Amino acid sequence: MQKIKLFDTTLRDGEQSPGVNLNLQEKLEIAKQLERLGIDIIEAGFPASSKGDFQSVKEIASIVKNSSVTGLARSVTKDIDIAWEALKESAEPRLHVFIATSEIHMQHKLKKTPDEVLETAVEMVKYASEKFPVVQWSAEDACRTDLPFLARIVEAVIDAGAKVVNIPDTVGFITPGDYQSVFNYLKEHVSNIHKVDLSAHCHDDLGLAVANSMAAIEAGATQIEGTINGIGERAGNAALEEVALALHVRQDFYQASTGLILPEIKRTSDIISKLTGMNIAPNKAIVGKNAFAHESGIHQDGVLKNPLTYEIISPELVGVKQNPIVLGKHSGRHAFRTRLVELGFTLEDTEANVLFEKFKDLADKKKDITDDDLLALVIQKQVSKESEYKLESLQVQYGTNNIPTATITLRKENGEEIQEAATGSGSVEAIYNTLQRCVEQDVKLLDYRIQSINGGPDALAEVFVKVESEGTEASGRGVAFDVLESSAKAYLNAINRLIAIQQHRTKQEVM
């Protein structure tokens, strides 16, 4: 049985999704969950791109021990040096270095000849190999690269010390049969190809990312790159949970498997969805809410008699609990803490105590508290750490014959209290107009989404917003029983993130 390594780029390629910006704590939570999921390699970011990315890669590399942590670098010594500083303390320092190899990229982006590109690739792999025990080299836009040149440069970088060679479908252009042909050509024309792991990195522009990844496995790839939920630039990347389940269910065909802890899939998917603000489509394979739902009477009858009639995957296999554990107002601190640990959260005593008080407040209003509620509580606690402004009070006046008016009191980090009021065509607009007055910043609302956590009249409301100010975008989320309160929290969270981003950029410009 062939072992397929999974290379997760949720924190690098996934975070490049438009509108997604994760803070350090959120990245750490995702990294720890990816480690629990059993991911082989976690691409934690692009260290040279910013000081924030450098710090997050360094932090992740220091805490993750059971997965290899890597960072991306361009084929320049400065990028490689910065990546080494970020990754040198990790359990297995690993570098992912790339250079474009297609004619259109070499001519218009790099403005280099093929020979110059080959020389740079070899020089940078040799340089990186002096520091990193494992160097992965990627041919950007490999699938539109002239195959004889691709074979020549692959052979050269292997001789230079590359341990993994990645053949990415950077623009989501190739089809499964053609992708297999690329791998087969390299195996036939690269004499030292047996010395490396061959990796596939597919984008989903034509909806073929997972199909192409599976085709690469058939052609001999031993590593698949992608993201959880398939997030990423443009249409996204191959969804790793789909690749893993395809290999698990169809072992008879692929004769390959991964080391993924399958029952951790749903929890990982939910955490990433909530922290990125990217909702999962109901019909999304493996993790969508309809993935195990049956409405047709014929299907329902068959499943009741024998689930195998219409379910090739059991919900429990991927961590979907049919009868989730619930806590209530009589649950104690120990039961609460134990459940958080079971959900994969490691909290300091002070953090756990604060969350327990919030849990008890919630339990007074809601009879049964499920895992989804607990997940929302923890995530809300994490995102509220960026708090230049804190919501002290909110009052909204609304009537069918009156103009909606909101009165809000905020407290700044320095203790200063701010109170403002404003009107709007609706209650949410009145709240947002008031918050803009409070922070004295022109903020444009780009996206507003609301959903309930679980069902029933006592369900928590979760609001996600995306805002823009002075060319900077930020997202925010808020959770509360009341829709208006959660809307205010989400907007304020986005404003706090905007301020944090702007302050960080100002510091960089000064330095």
Side-chain angles (χ1 to χ4, degrees):
M1 187 71 66
Q2 175 72 52
K3 167 69 189 302
I4 303 298
K5 297 175 185 175
L6 293 183
F7 177 112
D8 182 276
T9 185
T10 300
L11 290 170
R12 201 275 300 170
D13 211 329
E15 205 204 4
Q16 291 174 202
S17 303
V20 174
N21 48 69
L22 300 167
N23 63 29
L24 175 59
Q25 190 58 45
E26 291 167 340
K27 289 181 179 181
L28 289 174
E29 289 296 344
I30 290 174
K32 287 187 286 187
Q33 182 57 35
L34 291 173
E35 183 182 23
R36 284 189 288 268
L37 179 63
I39 291 293
D40 298 287
I41 302 107
I42 298 172
E43 187 169 49
F46 188 171
S49 64
S50 70
K51 289 186 177 180
D53 232 30
F54 171 85
Q55 189 60 37
S56 63
V57 173
K58 187 174 183 178
E59 290 276 351
I60 290 168
S62 69
I63 65 169
V64 171
K65 302 303 179 187
N66 297 318
S67 300
S68 179
V69 179
T70 188
L72 187 69
R74 294 166 298 184
S75 289
V76 293
T77 56
K78 181 182 177 182
D79 276 21
I80 296 170
D81 290 340
I82 293 173
W84 172 248
E85 288 304 312
L87 292 160
K88 63 184 180 182
E89 301 301 327
S90 67
E92 183 191 41
R94 176 186 290 251
L95 182 73
H96 180 194
V97 61
F98 72 96
I99 193 168
T101 56
S102 66
E103 183 179 353
I104 189 170
H105 276 244
M106 291 189 293
Q107 180 180 344
H108 296 283
K109 187 178 76 171
L110 300 180
K111 301 187 184 304
K112 289 186 176 183
T113 66
D115 285 342
E116 289 172 328
V117 168
L118 188 149
E119 182 182 353
T120 299
V122 168
E123 183 182 348
M124 291 302 98
V125 169
K126 284 182 178 178
Y127 183 78
S129 297
E130 294 174 0
K131 302 175 182 289
F132 291 88
V134 180
V135 175
Q136 170 172 317
W137 179 82
S138 285
E140 186 183 11
D141 204 21
C143 294
R144 294 191 297 175
T145 297
D146 177 62
L147 286 179
F149 175 64
L150 183 62
R152 188 158 67 96
I153 194 170
V154 166
E155 184 159 323
V157 296
I158 295 173
D159 282 339
K163 299 289 177 60
V164 183
V165 169
N166 181 35
I167 308 299
D169 181 21
T170 305
V171 295
F173 172 77
I174 208 161
T175 59
D178 287 340
Y179 202 35
Q180 283 186 330
S181 297
V182 173
F183 280 89
N184 289 332
Y185 183 92
L186 293 176
K187 288 193 296 182
E188 291 172 10
H189 293 85
V190 177
S191 63
N192 53 6
I193 198 76
H194 61 283
K195 295 181 179 180
V196 296
D197 278 319
L198 284 175
S199 184
H201 178 116
C202 300
H203 280 264
D204 208 32
D205 297 74
L206 296 177
L208 295 171
V210 172
N212 284 333
S213 298
M214 304 311 294
I217 292 171
E218 289 185 71
T222 52
Q223 178 176 290
I224 298 297
E225 305 185 12
T227 60
I228 301 300
N229 298 336
I231 65 174
E233 286 197 272
R234 305 185 311 277
N237 293 53
L240 288 182
E241 70 276 7
E242 295 180 21
V243 172
L245 262 294
L247 290 176
H248 178 80
V249 174
R250 293 306 311 272
Q251 279 189 9
D252 61 317
F253 178 79
Y254 291 104
Q255 293 295 301
S257 65
T258 70
L260 218 62
I261 311 301
L262 300 183
E264 290 288 337
I265 286 177
K266 186 64 169 68
R267 183 183 305 154
T268 310
S269 170
D270 287 345
I271 288 173
I272 289 170
S273 172
K274 289 183 181 298
L275 289 177
T276 59
M278 299 186 73
N279 290 340
I280 302 167
N283 64 330
K284 165 75 172 64
I286 314 301
V287 293
K289 71 177 184 179
N290 291 351
F292 303 102
H294 304 277
E295 185 171 330
S296 163
I298 295 174
H299 285 213
Q300 290 172 342
D301 179 66
V303 168
L304 289 171
K305 290 174 178 175
N306 186 334
L308 293 177
T309 53
Y310 288 102
E311 285 184 358
I312 61 169
I313 309 164
S314 71
E316 292 79 11
L317 178 65
V318 296
V320 176
K321 295 179 175 61
Q322 303 296 347
N323 296 300
I325 293 174
V326 296
L327 298 173
K329 65 179 182 179
H330 298 298
S331 298
R333 194 180 302 268
H334 180 70
F336 171 75
R337 185 73 178 266
T338 299
R339 190 62 196 139
L340 285 182
V341 172
E342 290 172 350
L343 287 173
F345 292 105
T346 52
L347 301 171
E348 299 293 333
D349 289 341
T350 53
E351 290 181 307
N353 290 336
V354 171
L355 277 173
F356 181 70
E357 294 306 317
K358 291 184 178 295
F359 159 74
K360 295 299 280 187
D361 290 340
L362 182 60
D364 285 335
K365 302 171 185 175
K366 194 175 191 292
K367 181 180 178 182
D368 294 326
I369 298 177
T370 67
D371 289 349
D372 285 338
D373 295 322
L374 291 177
L375 179 63
L377 273 180
V378 175
I379 288 175
Q380 184 63 28
K381 177 71 170 59
Q382 303 293 17
V383 302
S384 63
K385 288 185 177 182
E386 291 176 340
S387 53
E388 173 72 16
Y389 295 97
K390 181 181 178 183
L391 182 66
E392 288 288 308
S393 67
L394 166 66
Q395 183 177 341
V396 180
Q397 292 179 321
Y398 172 80
T400 54
N401 297 320
N402 297 324
I403 298 175
T405 305
T407 303
I408 293 175
T409 302
L410 299 183
R411 188 173 299 279
K412 294 187 71 173
E413 195 172 25
N414 61 10
E416 178 188 350
E417 193 172 271
I418 302 170
Q419 188 175 66
E420 286 286 354
T423 61
S425 57
S427 297
V428 173
E429 186 181 31
I431 290 169
Y432 289 178
N433 288 341
T434 306
L435 286 171
Q436 284 204 45
R437 284 191 177 184
C438 289
V439 301
E440 298 179 342
Q441 189 165 352
D442 185 23
V443 180
K444 181 181 179 182
L445 181 67
L446 302 178
D447 191 15
Y448 174 91
R449 281 181 266 143
I450 184 170
Q451 64 182 22
S452 67
I453 297 174
N454 297 317
D458 62 350
L460 287 169
E462 183 176 46
V463 171
F464 170 84
V465 300
K466 185 164 68 174
V467 301
E468 182 267 333
S469 177
E470 300 177 0
T472 300
E473 291 186 7
S475 59
R477 60 189 67 78
V479 176
F481 273 108
D482 186 86
V483 170
L484 299 182
E485 182 183 351
S486 59
S487 297
K489 286 182 174 180
Y491 198 75
L492 191 60
N493 176 234
I495 289 174
N496 282 326
R497 283 170 174 261
L498 269 176
I499 293 169
I501 294 170
Q502 290 166 347
Q503 289 176 342
H504 177 70
R505 286 179 178 171
T506 301
K507 286 180 182 177
Q508 283 189 311
E509 289 170 1
V510 171
M511 297 176 70

